[in-house]
Amino acid sequence: MKLRVVLEPSDEGGFTVSVPGLPGCISEGESRDAALHNIREAITLYLEPIEDDAMYGEHAEQVEIIV
């Protein structure tokens, strides 16, 4: 999966990075490389399903797809 991220120098030093396609998915790092590493982890967590919070009907079916 390819996602566009926005990498900006932070006023406090380091970098802030966000993902426009995933609202609220933001991270930061001391260096450009660290910020990009951290946003990859944030994206993974953002996209991870949270089954405990979901309510499904009696006949619901979970299907995995590749995007």
Side-chain angles (χ1 to χ4, degrees), residues 50-65:
I50 303 174
E51 295 180 22
D52 293 343
D53 292 344
M55 298 297 290
Y56 302 108
E58 182 180 329
H59 301 287
E61 177 182 354
Q62 292 188 36
V63 179
E64 292 186 14
I65 61 171

Side-chain angles (χ1 to χ4, degrees), residues 6-66:
V6 178
L7 183 68
E8 299 179 272
S10 178
D11 293 338
E12 300 83 30
F15 291 86
T16 300
V17 61
S18 61
V19 185
L22 302 175
C25 189
I26 300 169
S27 192
E28 57 189 6
E30 292 295 320
S31 67
R32 184 180 187 279
D33 288 339
L36 292 172
H37 172 81
N38 293 341
I39 199 63
R40 283 185 184 92
E41 186 175 294
I43 291 167
T44 299
L45 292 172
Y46 187 101
L47 295 175
E48 187 174 276
I50 303 174
E51 295 180 22
D52 293 343
D53 292 344
M55 298 297 290
Y56 302 108
E58 182 180 329
H59 301 287
E61 177 182 354
Q62 292 188 36
V63 179
E64 292 186 14
I65 61 171
I66 297 174

